[in-house]
Amino acid sequence: ASVLAGLARARFVHFGVHGRFDPRTGWWSGLELADAPETPQPDGLLTPGDVLLALNVPQQVVLSACRSADRGGEQSVTGLSVAEAFLAAGSEQVIATSRDVLDATAEAVMTALYTQTPPGELADAASALRDAQRAVMATSPDADWAAYRAFTL
């Protein structure tokens, strides 16, 4: 099954992958799905444009991938982040990162998030993320927990 077909059937999805950021427009930013020939792009990249073409997207999305909420700064009015693409396509809640994140930080934030809230049960993504960030801040004050953002409709 293709990635987009899988997205159409899911209520919740978590991507724990590398993110690629295109600072020119953001349109060639995306999630690196290694060796995934079923993605629309030949290099396995799931781009904002691919997400917008999906027939259906999960209600809840977690993008634990570097810069998955980055759209290129104030100068890029035409760009769209992967997180914004999921919202535009119909997702109700998205958790994503605004900048690069160390693997250890991603692991700490996601572990704290899912310890408090089982996957797929993010009734309030913003509150769940805030609680996870507070937990990480208490145990790892130098971790960049603030790179994670919650977006809701």
Side-chain angles (χ1 to χ4, degrees):
S2 76
V3 172
L4 295 180
L7 289 176
R9 293 189 304 270
R11 188 178 76 77
F12 169 83
V13 67
H14 173 105
F15 284 101
V17 299
H18 290 290
R20 185 187 308 170
F21 178 68
D22 170 22
R24 291 170 286 143
T25 67
W27 283 106
W28 290 107
S29 296
L31 307 176
E32 294 182 3
L33 307 180
D35 300 323
E38 67 275 1
T39 59
Q41 305 303 323
D43 61 356
L45 188 69
L46 185 67
T47 67
D50 299 329
V51 173
L52 291 172
L53 291 174
L55 297 177
N56 195 14
V57 292
Q59 293 173 326
Q60 301 173 340
V61 179
V62 175
L63 304 174
S64 188
C66 290
R67 300 178 81 167
S68 50
D70 196 338
R71 65 192 302 242
E74 297 298 320
Q75 296 150 352
S76 179
V77 295
T78 60
L80 193 69
S81 72
V82 179
E84 291 169 322
F86 271 103
L87 289 170
S91 294
E92 295 174 8
Q93 301 184 81
V94 178
I95 293 175
T97 64
S98 59
R99 54 188 171 263
D100 291 338
V101 177
L102 296 174
D103 289 345
T105 300
E107 180 181 0
V109 172
M110 292 297 106
T111 298
L113 179 71
Y114 293 131
T115 296
Q116 299 175 36
T117 307
E121 296 182 20
L122 295 173
D124 181 353
S127 294
L129 178 60
R130 181 198 62 228
D131 293 345
Q133 288 171 319
R134 286 181 176 166
V136 171
M137 185 172 44
T139 59
S140 305
D142 293 334
D144 188 13
W145 50 265
Y148 282 87
R149 304 273 193 253
F151 302 87
T152 60
L153 288 181

